[in-house]
Each structure stands twice: as C-alpha cells, then as structure tokens.
Amino acid sequence: MTDREKIIGWLKENLKYYKDNIGEVKKHGKTVHGNMSSTIITQKLIDSVTERINELETLESIDESSKVNLEAVQEV
C-alpha cells in the first residue's frame, strides 16, 4: 500500500465521520498559541474533502498505470 493510498483511506474515514456529524464542531489539537482548534463540519468541508480524495485517486491511478507501462517496457 502506497502512502497516498493510506491518506486516501484516512480521508475516507474522516469523510464518513463528517457526513454523519454535519453541523457539529470537530475538536482538534492545540494551535501554536495553545488554544484548542475546532472546525464546524459543513457541506463545504465535505465537498472539499471529497474533491481532495478524487484528486489523490486520480494521481494514484496515473502512477499505477505508469508503473504498469514501465514494467511492460522493462520486459521487452
């Protein structure tokens, strides 16, 4: 499993959580200033994460097809 595939998996887990908890506040760790960081789960956040997942999946498929093409060339 590539690093990109791991990140896609994590983002998909987050996306499921976001969809189940839209309108809620998601707490994160502390900021540089020591304050708690939080994000309101909105449709815009869900759309952004979905778009990022799609971009990463596209890049992963391009890398995979390049790898297959390289292996085919090496066999010749």
Side-chain angles (χ1 to χ4, degrees), residues 1-3 5-6 9 24-25 32 37 43 45 51-52 56 59 63 66 73:
M1 177 177 277
T2 66
D3 289 344
E5 289 172 326
K6 289 177 188 174
E24 299 293 323
V25 175
V32 183
S37 175
Q43 187 60 47
L45 174 64
E51 182 178 333
R52 186 62 181 144
L56 290 170
L59 289 172
D63 284 354
S66 295
V73 168

Side-chain angles (χ1 to χ4, degrees), residues 13-76:
E13 288 176 20
N14 288 345
L15 186 61
K16 180 180 177 348
Y17 175 84
Y18 297 156
K19 286 180 178 180
D20 292 342
N21 294 284
I22 195 163
E24 299 293 323
V25 175
K26 170 75 173 152
K27 300 278 185 191
H28 302 283
K30 293 189 176 185
T31 65
V32 183
H33 305 291
N35 302 323
M36 284 300 293
S37 175
S38 61
T39 301
I40 298 174
I41 301 171
T42 63
Q43 187 60 47
K44 183 177 178 181
L45 174 64
I46 292 170
D47 293 344
S48 295
V49 173
T50 302
E51 182 178 333
R52 186 62 181 144
I53 290 169
N54 291 337
E55 290 169 356
L56 290 170
E57 287 177 334
T58 299
L59 289 172
E60 189 64 22
S61 68
I62 290 170
D63 284 354
E64 187 62 33
S65 66
S66 295
K67 190 183 304 179
V68 169
N69 289 339
L70 179 62
E71 289 171 1
V73 168
Q74 289 174 343
E75 288 178 7
V76 174

